[in-house]
Amino acid sequence: MGDSSDSVSIDMETPSLSGKEYVVETCCGYVSVSVYGDQDKPALVTYPDLALNHISCFQGLFFCPEACSLLLHNFCIYHISPPGHELGAATISPDDPLLSVDDLADQIADVLNYFGLDAVMCMGVTAGAYILTLFAMKYRQRVLGLILISPLCNAPSWTEWLYNKVLSNLLYYYGMCGVVKELLLKRYFSKEARGSAQVPESDVVQACRRLLDERQGLNVWRFLEAMNGRQDISDGLRKLRCRSLIYVGESSPFHFEALDMTSKLDRRCSALVEVQACGSMVTEEQPHAMLIPLEYFLMGYGMYRPPKLSVSPRSPLSPICISPELLSPESMGLKLKPIKTRISLEV
C-alpha cells in the first residue's frame, strides 16, 4: 500500500497487508510508524496495547470490509508502535533509558510534527488508550477525537501493580515464555475466545499467540514498566473538549476502569459501548460490534462510508435507516450522550 493511489479503493474486500514504513526520530528515541492510505486525508493515529503492534491489535478491525472502507475512505492511518514492538524489532539496548508514559505521549507529538500533521483522530487499546488520552491532555489542540477501547485513566491499584510486577519479573528473566503469553491472552480476550479443555481456542487467539512469539521480552518489559508507573489522569478528563467514544468488553479485566473513565468525561461529548461476550481487545475479538457506533461517531465530523460499497442492513448509513436531518452535527451531538449501549453477538 505504499502507493496511495492503490490504497483507498472503496470497492476493496480487505485491506492490503502492506503499508509504508517509517522510522521517526523523536525526543526520546526512534519510533516505527506504518502509514496506510492517502496522506492528503485527515489522520487517524493508532496505538496498541502492551506487547502488541498494529498487526496483532487492529488487523481484525481493518479486515472487516465495512469498517475498513469507512476508515480508509475518510482517513490516512498512522499506526504507531511502542518502542521495540514493531515487526522484526531487535532488543532495545540496556543502556537506553527507560521511558515514562509522558515520554511516550511526547513521542506522538514528534511523529505528528514529522509528518506535518496538525489535529488528528486517535484510536488506542488499553495501554495505548491511556497514552493517547494523556497525549490529548498535553496537546489539546492536536486531537479531534478519541476512540478508546478498554481504556485506563487511574494509577494502578495495588492488585494491578503486584500483578504487573510478577509479569514484569517473568518478562525480564524469562522473556516471552509460555506463562507470560497466557497472562497476556487473559488480558486481551474473553474466556469464551480462549477456549477450554473441551472447546479449542478461537482462531484470533491462536493468531495472537503466534504473533506474541515475535516480541522481544525486554522491550515489552520496558512498556510495562512505564504503564505500571503511570499517574492518575482522571482529574483532567472533564477538561477535554474533543469527543470520545469508548468501547469495552463485558469480560474485560478493565471493564470497571472503562466505566469509571466514562463517568469522569464530559457527559455532553462522550459515549460508552459495552460489548457482551468480549474481552478487552474488541478490535480483534468482536470488530463488527464497533461498526455502527463508529459510523454515528464519525458522522458528527461529517464523515461517512463510501457510497460504492454495498450497503449492509446493519449499517445506520443506509438511506432506509437514517433520515437526512440526523446528519447534522447538532443532531449527532445528541448521539454522543454517555448512554449505556449493549451490543449482543452470537458466540
Side-chain angles (χ1 to χ4, degrees), residues 333-347:
L334 297 176
K335 296 290 182 182
L336 296 178
K337 293 189 296 183
I339 58 173
K340 188 174 184 180
T341 305
R342 293 180 179 268
I343 296 181
S344 302
L345 299 171
E346 293 185 9
V347 182

Side-chain angles (χ1 to χ4, degrees), residues 285-298:
E285 190 171 349
Q286 302 284 10
H288 286 89
M290 297 182 65
L291 179 63
I292 293 176
L294 188 60
E295 285 182 321
Y296 278 128
F297 182 73
L298 293 180

Side-chain angles (χ1 to χ4, degrees), residues 7 36 74 120 127 188 207 225 236 268:
S7 62
Y36 292 76
N74 291 291
V120 300
Y188 306 146
E225 286 292 291
R268 296 168 297 178

Side-chain angles (χ1 to χ4, degrees), residues 42-117:
L44 170 65
V45 170
T46 74
Y47 210 100
D49 192 16
L50 178 73
L52 303 176
N53 54 36
H54 71 280
I55 297 296
S56 47
C57 194
F58 297 102
Q59 183 172 262
L61 178 63
F62 283 89
F63 268 36
C64 173
E66 293 167 309
C68 176
S69 66
L70 171 67
L71 295 173
L72 284 179
H73 179 68
N74 291 291
F75 297 105
C76 179
I77 316 298
Y78 295 80
H79 293 297
I80 300 178
S81 294
H85 283 54
E86 66 273 13
L87 291 174
T91 301
I92 298 173
S93 170
D95 296 330
D96 290 355
L98 289 176
L99 301 182
S100 67
V101 289
D102 282 284
D103 294 330
L104 297 175
D106 291 338
Q107 284 184 330
I108 297 173
D110 288 338
V111 168
L112 268 55
N113 293 339
Y114 177 87
F115 290 105
L117 302 174

Side-chain angles (χ1 to χ4, degrees), residues 292-311:
I292 293 176
L294 188 60
E295 285 182 321
Y296 278 128
F297 182 73
L298 293 180
M299 282 198 301
Y301 297 88
M303 297 177 178
Y304 53 89
R305 272 200 307 120
K308 289 186 181 180
L309 192 73
S310 58
V311 175

Side-chain angles (χ1 to χ4, degrees), residues 14 27 121 179 200 239 283 323:
T14 57
C27 59
M121 188 72 68
V179 175
K239 298 178 183 178
T283 51
S323 57

Side-chain angles (χ1 to χ4, degrees), residues 313-332:
R314 294 179 309 209
S315 172
L317 298 187
S318 167
I320 63 172
C321 297
I322 186 166
S323 57
E325 58 268 24
L326 289 181
L327 297 178
S328 68
E330 293 78 12
S331 295
M332 283 310 304

